[in-house]
Amino acid sequence: MDLHFNTYYTLISAVIVLLLGKWLVGHLRWLRNFNIPEPVAGGLVAAALCYLLYAVLGYRLSFDGELQTAFMLVFFSSIGLSANFSKLKEGGRALLIFLVVIAVFIGVQNAVGGSLATLLGLDPLVGLIAGSMTLLGGHGTAGAWGSVLEREHGVQGAMTLGMACATFGLVIGGLVGGPLAKWLIRRHQLQGPPAAPGSADSLVDAAAYNFESPRKTRLITTDATIETLALFAGCLAFAQLMTGVTAGMAFQLPTFVWALAGGVLIRNTLDYVFRFQVFDRAIDVFGNAALSLYLAIALLSLKLWELADLAGPLVVILAAQTVAMLVYVAGVTFRAMGRDYDAAVLCAGNCGFGMGATPTAVANMQAITNQYGPSHKAFLIVPMVGAFFIDLLNAVFLQTLIKLLG
């Protein structure tokens, strides 16, 4: 029996999940020790309860997908609206190095998936599904490419398979990022930057980096709220317009990438053309709220029985992908980014979008920086690379590999 939660009940459920996650992290020391993000802690408990309802009573719960998509688009819009060109310049050489590291990782992920699929007697295209298509690309990329593989390449069940792999990646990305970063910090005796005097009680000013201090107090006014809502509306309208314009073209980008790009265009046009001062604190509040609610709904919507039904060979591939990611992040990403505290936080983010999604990456980094201190470099680099450049690179890789293997 299917039970569908409409928009209102989905929102209520998401808030309950976040409150549950906050309570769990606050009362269970091992969750804090492993730096598990609050939405992940509460969401996995809720997903497990949904699975029990399915296994015992046969009830399949579904939640409003449009609300989840809306919060995701707001989150990516907030990244774009926070990225003026002066901040992007600050990334400099480190951003380029991280981009190269991730580009190589895309190749590693597809090599692991494709080679194991071939060895296990599966279609090599299944290896791509269990590679960067779903693990680094997430549910949106899995759905888009899954339909292409079913329609044009005859890979039966590619959509369902892709969603299951993306679900696995979302869970693993949120579980391993924090512990790996903490292990690196302890192993190399790294320390975050010292807190500024009185910073615990001070307000975050307009120059604060987005998402870096989600628990800091931010004063926003009614006028600032209305202006910020107008900015988000512009980003969402731009994303919808560009998705429609590029539909059917050979090279397409997911809607959330257009939302981020719209935010960058709007923010920098206001900054450098109209000299309008964007209210960063309001963007921070909306972005962090959207991030938490998106993750809560995404984890509520996990169909764990799809993971339970995965064939043995696919489980082998996904397990190998997890090990490959951990080895690569600890051995390559950490070293390439400087072997310092910022590099360790970047590794938490790498795990987040390397197996899950950019919101998971940000949540992973927040869990680390809440305990060890801020990392301006990580919060500057990861959102832009994970949300924008990654999808461009991944699309190029996938189009090329599908033509070769198909």
Side-chain angles (χ1 to χ4, degrees), residues 179-229:
L180 176 63
K182 184 169 185 176
W183 176 78
L184 290 170
I185 290 170
R186 288 189 169 184
R187 176 179 174 83
H188 298 278
Q189 299 180 345
L190 306 175
Q191 291 184 345
S199 62
D201 298 321
S202 64
L203 301 178
V204 174
D205 60 22
Y209 290 85
N210 199 17
F211 304 112
E212 190 168 358
S213 304
R215 299 187 183 280
K216 291 289 184 68
T217 301
R218 292 164 166 84
L219 293 182
I220 60 176
T221 64
T222 301
D223 289 342
T225 301
I226 294 173
E227 290 173 359
T228 304
L229 286 174

Short mmCIF file of all heavy atoms in Angstrom, two decimals, residues 179-229:
data_model
loop_
_atom_site.label_atom_id
_atom_site.label_comp_id
_atom_site.label_asym_id
_atom_site.label_seq_id
_atom_site.Cartn_x
_atom_site.Cartn_y
_atom_site.Cartn_z
N PRO A 179 34.20 11.21 9.78
CA PRO A 179 35.22 10.35 10.42
C PRO A 179 36.57 10.39 9.72
O PRO A 179 37.61 10.38 10.38
CB PRO A 179 34.58 8.95 10.34
CG PRO A 179 33.11 9.21 10.35
CD PRO A 179 32.94 10.49 9.56
N LEU A 180 36.60 10.40 8.37
CA LEU A 180 37.88 10.44 7.67
C LEU A 180 38.62 11.74 7.97
O LEU A 180 39.83 11.74 8.24
CB LEU A 180 37.66 10.30 6.16
CG LEU A 180 38.93 10.42 5.31
CD1 LEU A 180 39.91 9.30 5.64
CD2 LEU A 180 38.61 10.43 3.82
N ALA A 181 37.90 12.87 7.92
CA ALA A 181 38.54 14.16 8.21
C ALA A 181 39.06 14.20 9.64
O ALA A 181 40.16 14.70 9.91
CB ALA A 181 37.56 15.30 7.96
N LYS A 182 38.28 13.66 10.57
CA LYS A 182 38.72 13.65 11.97
C LYS A 182 39.97 12.78 12.13
O LYS A 182 40.89 13.13 12.88
CB LYS A 182 37.60 13.14 12.86
CG LYS A 182 37.95 13.18 14.34
CD LYS A 182 36.73 12.93 15.21
CE LYS A 182 37.07 13.10 16.68
NZ LYS A 182 35.87 12.96 17.54
N TRP A 183 40.02 11.65 11.44
CA TRP A 183 41.19 10.78 11.50
C TRP A 183 42.42 11.50 10.96
O TRP A 183 43.51 11.40 11.55
CB TRP A 183 40.92 9.51 10.70
CG TRP A 183 42.10 8.58 10.62
CD1 TRP A 183 42.54 7.73 11.60
CD2 TRP A 183 43.00 8.42 9.51
NE1 TRP A 183 43.65 7.05 11.16
CE2 TRP A 183 43.96 7.45 9.88
CE3 TRP A 183 43.07 8.99 8.24
CZ2 TRP A 183 44.98 7.04 9.04
CZ3 TRP A 183 44.09 8.60 7.39
CH2 TRP A 183 45.03 7.63 7.79
N LEU A 184 42.26 12.24 9.87
CA LEU A 184 43.38 12.99 9.30
C LEU A 184 43.85 14.08 10.26
O LEU A 184 45.06 14.31 10.43
CB LEU A 184 42.98 13.61 7.97
CG LEU A 184 42.78 12.64 6.80
CD1 LEU A 184 42.15 13.36 5.61
CD2 LEU A 184 44.11 12.00 6.39
N ILE A 185 42.90 14.76 10.89
CA ILE A 185 43.25 15.83 11.83
C ILE A 185 44.03 15.27 13.01
O ILE A 185 45.05 15.84 13.43
CB ILE A 185 41.98 16.56 12.31
CG1 ILE A 185 41.37 17.37 11.15
CG2 ILE A 185 42.27 17.46 13.49
CD1 ILE A 185 40.00 17.94 11.44
N ARG A 186 43.58 14.14 13.54
CA ARG A 186 44.27 13.56 14.69
C ARG A 186 45.60 12.93 14.30
O ARG A 186 46.60 13.07 15.01
CB ARG A 186 43.36 12.50 15.34
CG ARG A 186 42.19 13.10 16.09
CD ARG A 186 41.45 12.04 16.88
NE ARG A 186 40.49 12.63 17.80
CZ ARG A 186 39.77 11.92 18.66
NH1 ARG A 186 39.90 10.60 18.70
NH2 ARG A 186 38.92 12.53 19.47
N ARG A 187 45.63 12.24 13.17
CA ARG A 187 46.85 11.55 12.75
C ARG A 187 47.99 12.54 12.50
O ARG A 187 49.15 12.27 12.84
CB ARG A 187 46.57 10.74 11.49
CG ARG A 187 47.81 10.04 10.90
CD ARG A 187 47.43 9.24 9.67
NE ARG A 187 48.60 8.68 9.02
CZ ARG A 187 49.21 7.56 9.36
NH1 ARG A 187 48.74 6.86 10.40
NH2 ARG A 187 50.26 7.11 8.71
N HIS A 188 47.65 13.67 11.90
CA HIS A 188 48.68 14.66 11.56
C HIS A 188 48.73 15.82 12.55
O HIS A 188 49.42 16.81 12.29
CB HIS A 188 48.44 15.18 10.14
CG HIS A 188 48.53 14.12 9.08
ND1 HIS A 188 49.72 13.69 8.55
CD2 HIS A 188 47.56 13.37 8.47
CE1 HIS A 188 49.50 12.75 7.64
NE2 HIS A 188 48.20 12.53 7.57
N GLN A 189 47.97 15.69 13.64
CA GLN A 189 47.97 16.69 14.72
C GLN A 189 47.74 18.10 14.16
O GLN A 189 48.51 19.04 14.41
CB GLN A 189 49.28 16.63 15.50
CG GLN A 189 49.51 15.28 16.18
CD GLN A 189 50.81 15.23 16.95
OE1 GLN A 189 51.70 16.07 16.78
NE2 GLN A 189 50.94 14.24 17.84
N LEU A 190 46.66 18.22 13.42
CA LEU A 190 46.32 19.50 12.80
C LEU A 190 45.43 20.32 13.72
O LEU A 190 44.70 19.78 14.56
CB LEU A 190 45.60 19.25 11.47
CG LEU A 190 46.33 18.35 10.47
CD1 LEU A 190 45.45 18.09 9.26
CD2 LEU A 190 47.65 18.98 10.04
N GLN A 191 45.47 21.62 13.54
CA GLN A 191 44.65 22.51 14.35
C GLN A 191 43.98 23.54 13.45
O GLN A 191 44.59 24.03 12.49
CB GLN A 191 45.50 23.23 15.40
CG GLN A 191 46.01 22.32 16.52
CD GLN A 191 46.75 23.11 17.58
OE1 GLN A 191 47.12 24.26 17.36
NE2 GLN A 191 46.97 22.48 18.72
N GLY A 192 42.73 23.85 13.80
CA GLY A 192 42.04 24.90 13.08
C GLY A 192 42.53 26.27 13.54
O GLY A 192 43.27 26.38 14.52
N PRO A 193 42.15 27.33 12.86
CA PRO A 193 42.59 28.68 13.24
C PRO A 193 42.02 29.06 14.59
O PRO A 193 40.91 28.66 14.95
CB PRO A 193 42.03 29.56 12.12
CG PRO A 193 40.86 28.79 11.58
CD PRO A 193 41.23 27.35 11.70
N PRO A 194 42.76 29.83 15.40
CA PRO A 194 42.24 30.26 16.70
C PRO A 194 41.04 31.18 16.54
O PRO A 194 40.96 31.96 15.58
CB PRO A 194 43.43 31.01 17.32
CG PRO A 194 44.24 31.45 16.15
CD PRO A 194 44.09 30.38 15.11
N ALA A 195 40.11 31.06 17.48
CA ALA A 195 38.92 31.90 17.43
C ALA A 195 39.28 33.34 17.77
O ALA A 195 40.11 33.60 18.65
CB ALA A 195 37.86 31.38 18.40
N ALA A 196 38.66 34.26 17.08
CA ALA A 196 38.91 35.68 17.37
C ALA A 196 38.27 36.04 18.70
O ALA A 196 37.25 35.48 19.08
CB ALA A 196 38.33 36.54 16.24
N PRO A 197 38.86 36.97 19.45
CA PRO A 197 38.30 37.36 20.74
C PRO A 197 36.86 37.82 20.61
O PRO A 197 36.54 38.68 19.78
CB PRO A 197 39.22 38.51 21.19
CG PRO A 197 40.49 38.29 20.44
CD PRO A 197 40.11 37.69 19.14
N GLY A 198 36.01 37.23 21.42
CA GLY A 198 34.60 37.60 21.43
C GLY A 198 33.81 37.08 20.27
O GLY A 198 32.65 37.45 20.09
N SER A 199 34.39 36.21 19.44
CA SER A 199 33.70 35.75 18.23
C SER A 199 32.50 34.90 18.55
O SER A 199 31.57 34.80 17.76
CB SER A 199 34.66 34.97 17.34
OG SER A 199 35.13 33.82 18.01
N ALA A 200 32.48 34.25 19.70
CA ALA A 200 31.36 33.36 20.03
C ALA A 200 30.06 34.13 20.15
O ALA A 200 28.98 33.59 19.90
CB ALA A 200 31.66 32.63 21.34
N ASP A 201 30.14 35.39 20.55
CA ASP A 201 28.93 36.15 20.77
C ASP A 201 28.69 37.21 19.70
O ASP A 201 27.70 37.90 19.71
CB ASP A 201 28.98 36.85 22.14
CG ASP A 201 29.07 35.84 23.28
OD1 ASP A 201 28.42 34.80 23.18
OD2 ASP A 201 29.82 36.11 24.25
N SER A 202 29.64 37.35 18.81
CA SER A 202 29.53 38.41 17.82
C SER A 202 28.66 37.98 16.66
O SER A 202 28.45 36.80 16.41
CB SER A 202 30.92 38.79 17.30
OG SER A 202 31.51 37.70 16.64
N LEU A 203 28.15 38.96 15.94
CA LEU A 203 27.33 38.68 14.77
C LEU A 203 28.22 38.47 13.57
O LEU A 203 29.31 39.04 13.47
CB LEU A 203 26.38 39.85 14.50
CG LEU A 203 25.39 40.20 15.62
CD1 LEU A 203 24.55 41.40 15.20
CD2 LEU A 203 24.52 39.02 15.96
N VAL A 204 27.75 37.66 12.63
CA VAL A 204 28.49 37.46 11.38
C VAL A 204 28.20 38.65 10.48
O VAL A 204 27.05 38.99 10.22
CB VAL A 204 28.03 36.16 10.70
CG1 VAL A 204 28.69 36.03 9.34
CG2 VAL A 204 28.38 34.98 11.57
N ASP A 205 29.24 39.31 10.02
CA ASP A 205 29.03 40.50 9.20
C ASP A 205 28.83 40.12 7.74
O ASP A 205 28.81 38.96 7.36
CB ASP A 205 30.18 41.50 9.37
CG ASP A 205 31.52 40.90 8.95
OD1 ASP A 205 31.51 39.92 8.18
OD2 ASP A 205 32.55 41.41 9.41
N ALA A 206 28.68 41.13 6.91
CA ALA A 206 28.34 40.89 5.50
C ALA A 206 29.46 40.20 4.73
O ALA A 206 29.23 39.68 3.65
CB ALA A 206 28.00 42.22 4.82
N ALA A 207 30.65 40.18 5.28
CA ALA A 207 31.77 39.54 4.59
C ALA A 207 31.92 38.08 4.96
O ALA A 207 32.85 37.42 4.53
CB ALA A 207 33.07 40.29 4.90
N ALA A 208 31.02 37.56 5.80
CA ALA A 208 31.15 36.18 6.26
C ALA A 208 30.97 35.22 5.10
O ALA A 208 30.23 35.47 4.16
CB ALA A 208 30.11 35.88 7.34
N TYR A 209 31.67 34.10 5.18
CA TYR A 209 31.54 33.08 4.14
C TYR A 209 30.26 32.28 4.37
O TYR A 209 29.94 31.89 5.47
CB TYR A 209 32.74 32.15 4.16
CG TYR A 209 34.01 32.81 3.69
CD1 TYR A 209 34.79 33.54 4.58
CD2 TYR A 209 34.42 32.69 2.37
CE1 TYR A 209 35.94 34.16 4.15
CE2 TYR A 209 35.58 33.30 1.95
CZ TYR A 209 36.33 34.03 2.84
OH TYR A 209 37.47 34.64 2.41
N ASN A 210 29.56 32.01 3.27
CA ASN A 210 28.28 31.32 3.36
C ASN A 210 28.45 29.91 3.91
O ASN A 210 29.38 29.20 3.55
CB ASN A 210 27.64 31.26 1.96
CG ASN A 210 26.16 30.98 2.03
OD1 ASN A 210 25.54 31.13 3.07
ND2 ASN A 210 25.59 30.59 0.91
N PHE A 211 27.55 29.49 4.79
CA PHE A 211 27.47 28.15 5.37
C PHE A 211 28.59 27.83 6.36
O PHE A 211 28.56 26.79 6.99
CB PHE A 211 27.49 27.05 4.29
CG PHE A 211 26.41 27.22 3.28
CD1 PHE A 211 26.71 27.57 1.98
CD2 PHE A 211 25.09 27.05 3.63
CE1 PHE A 211 25.71 27.73 1.04
CE2 PHE A 211 24.09 27.22 2.70
CZ PHE A 211 24.40 27.56 1.41
N GLU A 212 29.57 28.72 6.51
CA GLU A 212 30.71 28.37 7.33
C GLU A 212 30.36 28.36 8.82
O GLU A 212 30.92 27.58 9.59
CB GLU A 212 31.86 29.33 7.08
CG GLU A 212 33.16 28.89 7.73
CD GLU A 212 34.34 29.69 7.24
OE1 GLU A 212 34.16 30.56 6.36
OE2 GLU A 212 35.45 29.44 7.71
N SER A 213 29.45 29.21 9.22
CA SER A 213 29.09 29.31 10.64
C SER A 213 27.57 29.26 10.78
O SER A 213 26.93 30.27 11.06
CB SER A 213 29.63 30.61 11.24
OG SER A 213 31.03 30.72 11.06
N PRO A 214 26.97 28.09 10.57
CA PRO A 214 25.51 28.01 10.54
C PRO A 214 24.85 28.32 11.88
O PRO A 214 23.67 28.64 11.92
CB PRO A 214 25.25 26.55 10.13
CG PRO A 214 26.48 25.81 10.55
CD PRO A 214 27.60 26.78 10.37
N ARG A 215 25.59 28.23 12.99
CA ARG A 215 24.99 28.45 14.30
C ARG A 215 25.15 29.89 14.80
O ARG A 215 24.66 30.22 15.88
CB ARG A 215 25.59 27.48 15.32
CG ARG A 215 25.35 26.03 14.98
CD ARG A 215 25.82 25.10 16.09
NE ARG A 215 25.65 23.72 15.72
CZ ARG A 215 24.50 23.05 15.77
NH1 ARG A 215 23.40 23.67 16.20
NH2 ARG A 215 24.42 21.80 15.41
N LYS A 216 25.86 30.72 14.03
CA LYS A 216 26.04 32.10 14.46
C LYS A 216 24.73 32.89 14.29
O LYS A 216 23.95 32.65 13.37
CB LYS A 216 27.13 32.77 13.63
CG LYS A 216 28.54 32.25 13.90
CD LYS A 216 29.02 32.70 15.27
CE LYS A 216 30.47 32.28 15.49
NZ LYS A 216 31.40 32.98 14.63
N THR A 217 24.51 33.85 15.19
CA THR A 217 23.32 34.69 15.12
C THR A 217 23.45 35.65 13.94
O THR A 217 24.49 36.26 13.72
CB THR A 217 23.15 35.49 16.41
OG1 THR A 217 23.04 34.59 17.51
CG2 THR A 217 21.92 36.38 16.34
N ARG A 218 22.36 35.79 13.19
CA ARG A 218 22.34 36.72 12.06
C ARG A 218 21.08 37.57 12.16
O ARG A 218 19.96 37.03 12.16
CB ARG A 218 22.36 35.94 10.73
CG ARG A 218 23.65 35.21 10.44
CD ARG A 218 23.40 34.18 9.34
NE ARG A 218 24.63 33.66 8.79
CZ ARG A 218 25.32 32.66 9.33
NH1 ARG A 218 24.91 32.09 10.43
NH2 ARG A 218 26.42 32.22 8.74
N LEU A 219 21.23 38.87 12.25
CA LEU A 219 20.08 39.76 12.30
C LEU A 219 19.66 40.13 10.89
O LEU A 219 20.47 40.62 10.10
CB LEU A 219 20.43 41.03 13.08
CG LEU A 219 20.71 40.86 14.57
CD1 LEU A 219 21.01 42.21 15.21
CD2 LEU A 219 19.54 40.18 15.27
N ILE A 220 18.41 39.85 10.56
CA ILE A 220 17.88 40.23 9.25
C ILE A 220 16.57 40.98 9.45
O ILE A 220 15.85 40.76 10.42
CB ILE A 220 17.66 39.01 8.33
CG1 ILE A 220 16.66 38.03 8.95
CG2 ILE A 220 18.97 38.31 8.05
CD1 ILE A 220 16.33 36.87 8.05
N THR A 221 16.28 41.88 8.54
CA THR A 221 15.09 42.71 8.64
C THR A 221 14.04 42.25 7.63
O THR A 221 14.31 41.43 6.74
CB THR A 221 15.44 44.17 8.35
OG1 THR A 221 15.90 44.28 6.99
CG2 THR A 221 16.53 44.66 9.30
N THR A 222 12.84 42.80 7.74
CA THR A 222 11.76 42.46 6.80
C THR A 222 12.13 42.88 5.38
O THR A 222 11.92 42.11 4.43
CB THR A 222 10.46 43.16 7.22
OG1 THR A 222 10.11 42.76 8.55
CG2 THR A 222 9.32 42.81 6.27
N ASP A 223 12.68 44.09 5.24
CA ASP A 223 13.07 44.55 3.91
C ASP A 223 14.14 43.64 3.30
O ASP A 223 14.08 43.29 2.11
CB ASP A 223 13.60 45.98 3.98
CG ASP A 223 12.50 46.99 4.25
OD1 ASP A 223 11.32 46.64 4.04
OD2 ASP A 223 12.82 48.11 4.67
N ALA A 224 15.12 43.24 4.12
CA ALA A 224 16.18 42.36 3.63
C ALA A 224 15.62 41.00 3.24
O ALA A 224 16.05 40.40 2.25
CB ALA A 224 17.26 42.19 4.69
N THR A 225 14.63 40.52 4.00
CA THR A 225 14.01 39.24 3.68
C THR A 225 13.30 39.30 2.34
O THR A 225 13.42 38.39 1.50
CB THR A 225 13.01 38.84 4.78
OG1 THR A 225 13.69 38.74 6.03
CG2 THR A 225 12.34 37.51 4.46
N ILE A 226 12.55 40.38 2.11
CA ILE A 226 11.82 40.52 0.84
C ILE A 226 12.79 40.65 -0.32
O ILE A 226 12.61 40.02 -1.38
CB ILE A 226 10.88 41.75 0.90
CG1 ILE A 226 9.77 41.51 1.95
CG2 ILE A 226 10.28 42.04 -0.46
CD1 ILE A 226 8.89 42.71 2.20
N GLU A 227 13.85 41.45 -0.15
CA GLU A 227 14.86 41.58 -1.21
C GLU A 227 15.51 40.23 -1.52
O GLU A 227 15.74 39.89 -2.69
CB GLU A 227 15.92 42.59 -0.78
CG GLU A 227 15.42 44.02 -0.73
CD GLU A 227 16.46 44.96 -0.13
OE1 GLU A 227 17.55 44.46 0.25
OE2 GLU A 227 16.19 46.17 -0.05
N THR A 228 15.81 39.46 -0.47
CA THR A 228 16.47 38.17 -0.67
C THR A 228 15.53 37.19 -1.36
O THR A 228 15.96 36.42 -2.24
CB THR A 228 16.91 37.59 0.69
OG1 THR A 228 17.76 38.54 1.34
CG2 THR A 228 17.67 36.29 0.51
N LEU A 229 14.26 37.19 -0.99
CA LEU A 229 13.29 36.33 -1.68
C LEU A 229 13.21 36.68 -3.17
O LEU A 229 13.08 35.79 -4.02
CB LEU A 229 11.91 36.45 -1.02
CG LEU A 229 11.74 35.77 0.33
CD1 LEU A 229 10.38 36.10 0.93
CD2 LEU A 229 11.89 34.26 0.19
#
